[in-house]
Amino acid sequence: MTVIDISASVMQFLLAFVVVAPLLGAVAALLPAPPGLKGKNPDQAVLRHGVTVTGAVLIATIVLAVGFDHDHPATMQATTDISWIPALDVRIHLGIDGISLPLLLLTALLTFLCALYSYFKLPAGPSPKAFVALVLVLESGTLATFAVLDLLLFFLAFEMVLIPMYFLIARWGGGQRQAAAWKFILYTLLGSVVMLLGLLLIGLKSGTFDMVALATDNGRGLTTSVQVIAVLAIGLGLAVKTPMWPLHSWLPDAHTAAPTVGSVLLAGVLLKMGTYGFVRILLPIAPDGMRTFAPYLAAFAVVGIVYGSLACLALARTGAKGDLKRLIAYSSVGHMGFVLLGIATMTPTGVNGALFANIAHGLITGLLFFLVGAIKDRYGTADLDTLAGATGAALYGRAPRLGALLAFAAIASLGLPGLAGFWGEMLTLFGAYSPAEGLSRPAFRTFMAIGAFGTLLTAAYMLIVVRRVCMGEHTPHSRLSPDDRAPHAADDPQPSGAAGARPAATTPQLADIQTYEAAAWTPLAALTVLAGLWPAVLLGLTDPAVQKLLAGGKS
């Protein structure tokens, strides 16, 4: 069933447009604005250009989803297959199915919302032209990662996002941005070198880099030893990007230093590339190798769940001087641990849960980083102790809509039933209760119990954050310590006057949610509710594709 019947050639064009248009838009952003389109000044013109290009890509992605045949989500659709490097049999092979379509939509939506937010709240830094161009290159690389069906093209797209994210952190970030950017690029590049070796091993041993053909073969053309080596090499590269404990240490620094939109894109989109690689490449192409490493992957996943939660609890406690952005970053380590646990079960239930948790994390954590950025703009700091002060930040009283939305995002993140965060975690735990044949059931049930304990820890630190930031006595003229606040104000990357200057001794009433903020955040909140109340929308797409993937290409 398709909502609107769109011809195959138009679908092909739409998918190619979605991948290429941001790249062309990035080139256009660096050129002088045509006469009549300059607006009030060149900076405004290029920011409007970013909104226009990302909006066009979002519309094209929505039309692609509308024309998608929802009765056959396991079938690759909108496919393009053109020979590119005949000597290596590398092809420009694009296509989407029920696994990749939700990720394309998530990427297009988040990038558009970031462009819209930046139009009104551009982070302080060099030329806006460079900022818009980097965001568009980042979008193109991410969309290509989810759309390509050739191993070498996947690697190129996977690497394409590193440079723009490095510069977004290094040039538009806050305190310690240079060190955080270098840590990000070194970790991910080292992981990618190992991953390339694994991809080449699969391609050379099987005689093709075509991901559809390899998935259909289901590892039958590769010996077990080759599969084990390939999973180890590729898995390391993907685990760094996910990030899996203990390869996660670049993430908190990158998130803390990145500008608001950089954090949203890093958490909402880039982390999904690693887990998508596990599902799209390793599960169907090297199933024997995955079966060998699945227990270890699950073990690292649950350690990450507990470790991330304990790190958040440590940051949230009074007197810890915990940064709220850093806390949300550590929470991502725990949430992505659930995604890895679902993948490690190698069952339809677990993998569907992992894919659902991926989308839920993108929506909820993207919203959380938007909100934390707004709080930092208003207070001049994201330090929890400074925010909470003596009686609590009292967001409910001082900026009630902002406080209510932060509490909503926090309870969605902790997995409250009826919101998007619940279903992914529940399905991954169900998958761990009954893992695939050949995997140790007692071990995975132990992992399930540890993961369930992690959900309790998640609830604990999220509720502490809500209590300290949202609750408290509303005292419009209560004094905060300028000594506590001044260092943070200097690190604030935002160009707002109140946040960028040394704070006064008194704290005035905070501005509540602005119109442009509501426009950027409302879609994320609405989709979080929709996915929580109607999970069949997403599971109906992913389940047939996952069933086919795990069955070796057989529906």
Side-chain angles (χ1 to χ4, degrees):
M1 179 195 71
T2 58
V3 180
I4 298 176
D5 192 16
I6 300 177
S7 69
S9 58
V10 174
M11 292 286 284
Q12 287 178 341
F13 170 78
L14 284 171
L15 184 57
F17 174 82
V18 161
V19 172
V20 175
L23 209 53
L24 299 176
V27 174
L30 298 175
L31 301 175
L37 294 178
K38 291 182 179 179
K40 295 178 182 176
N41 57 64
D43 289 353
Q44 185 198 50
V46 75
L47 292 170
R48 189 170 58 224
H49 170 78
V51 175
T52 303
V53 174
T54 55
V57 170
L58 176 59
I59 291 169
T61 311
I62 292 171
V63 175
L64 198 63
V66 169
F68 187 81
D69 185 355
H70 292 260
D71 285 338
H72 301 92
T75 304
M76 283 295 171
Q77 302 178 34
T79 53
T80 299
D81 193 0
I82 304 169
S83 179
W84 185 34
I85 307 175
L88 295 176
D89 193 29
V90 178
R91 310 182 69 80
I92 298 177
H93 193 181
L94 305 176
I96 53 170
D97 64 357
I99 293 171
S100 51
L101 180 60
L103 290 165
L104 281 179
L105 287 165
L106 177 69
T107 302
L109 174 65
L110 282 176
T111 313
F112 169 71
L113 296 180
C114 285
L116 182 65
Y117 186 83
S118 299
Y119 181 81
F120 295 95
K121 192 71 177 176
L122 181 69
S127 162
K129 283 190 171 188
F131 177 83
V132 171
L134 289 170
V135 169
L136 290 173
V137 171
L138 185 72
E139 180 182 32
S140 181
T142 311
L143 290 168
T145 301
F146 299 138
V148 298
L149 297 173
D150 183 276
L151 289 178
L152 291 186
L153 275 185
F154 175 86
F155 176 78
L156 292 176
F158 197 85
E159 296 304 288
M160 185 175 163
V161 303
L162 300 185
I163 300 303
M165 182 52 72
Y166 166 81
F167 281 110
L168 285 174
I169 296 171
R171 304 302 298 276
W172 284 269
Q176 305 297 315
R177 58 181 180 265
Q178 292 290 345
W182 273 110
K183 198 171 186 180
F184 163 76
I185 200 84
L186 287 175
Y187 263 78
T188 48
L189 276 179
L190 288 173
S192 297
V193 169
V194 182
M195 184 175 77
L196 177 60
L197 296 176
L199 295 173
L200 290 172
L201 176 66
I202 287 178
L204 295 174
K205 288 294 184 180
S206 61
T208 181
F209 290 99
D210 186 89
M211 290 158 67
V212 176
L214 287 165
T216 304
D217 187 62
N218 202 219
R220 287 182 285 271
L222 301 171
T223 63
T224 301
S225 58
V226 168
Q227 290 189 39
V228 168
I229 295 170
V231 169
L232 182 61
I234 298 170
L236 276 172
L238 297 174
V240 170
K241 185 67 73 77
T242 298
M244 179 186 77
W245 180 91
L247 304 173
H248 68 284
S249 60
W250 61 270
L251 183 73
D253 292 339
H255 270 309
T256 306
T260 297
V261 294
S263 292
V264 171
L265 292 174
L266 183 57
V269 176
L270 265 67
L271 303 190
K272 312 300 173 279
M273 295 164 64
T275 51
Y276 175 77
F278 275 105
V279 174
R280 177 65 75 198
I281 297 174
L282 294 184
L283 277 178
I285 295 175
D288 294 338
M290 272 298 290
R291 200 168 285 107
T292 300
F293 284 106
Y296 304 102
L297 180 63
F300 284 125
V302 295
V303 170
I305 292 169
V306 175
Y307 171 84
S309 299
L310 291 176
C312 290
L313 280 171
L315 289 169
R317 77 177 191 275
T318 304
K321 289 289 180 186
D323 187 283
L324 194 50
K325 285 186 75 175
R326 195 172 188 85
L327 185 147
I328 304 302
Y330 270 112
S331 78
S332 291
V333 176
H335 289 307
M336 298 313 288
F338 279 103
V339 178
L340 290 172
L341 176 60
I343 293 168
T345 67
M346 299 184 69
T347 62
T349 303
V351 176
N352 276 306
L355 294 172
F356 199 104
N358 246 351
I359 301 298
H361 177 265
L363 296 172
I364 297 166
T365 308
L367 178 58
L368 277 170
F369 275 117
F370 268 134
L371 292 167
V372 173
I375 290 171
K376 188 171 182 179
D377 290 342
R378 288 156 170 78
Y379 279 93
T381 180
D383 180 81
L384 260 175
D385 286 338
T386 307
L387 286 175
T391 60
L395 268 188
Y396 287 152
R398 303 180 62 209
R401 288 190 292 274
L402 182 61
L405 194 55
L406 178 65
F408 166 81
I411 62 172
S413 184
L414 64 83
L416 185 76
L419 298 175
F422 171 73
W423 295 105
E425 294 181 3
M426 186 193 73
L427 290 171
T428 57
L429 294 177
F430 280 174
Y433 183 80
S434 183
E437 188 178 348
L439 298 178
S440 169
R441 187 161 292 191
F444 271 83
R445 288 186 177 176
T446 302
F447 298 146
M448 181 197 74
I450 297 172
F453 175 65
T455 62
L456 299 178
L457 295 177
T458 304
Y461 70 74
M462 278 299 178
L463 292 175
I464 290 172
V465 167
V466 171
R467 177 178 59 81
R468 299 193 68 197
V469 177
C470 295
M471 298 181 183
E473 185 182 350
H474 174 36
T475 51
H477 299 289
S478 62
R479 293 178 177 270
L480 295 178
S481 167
D483 294 333
D484 284 340
R485 291 183 57 185
H488 299 285
D491 290 343
D492 185 17
Q494 307 294 341
S496 55
R502 184 179 179 88
T506 60
T507 307
Q509 181 77 13
L510 290 182
D512 212 334
I513 295 177
Q514 306 296 302
T515 303
Y516 73 91
E517 292 173 330
W521 304 342
T522 302
L524 299 178
L527 288 170
T528 298
V529 174
L530 177 65
L533 296 178
W534 196 12
V537 173
L538 186 54
L539 293 174
L541 280 173
T542 61
D543 186 52
V546 168
Q547 298 275 2
K548 180 177 179 180
L549 188 114
L550 294 176
K554 305 180 189 70
S555 297

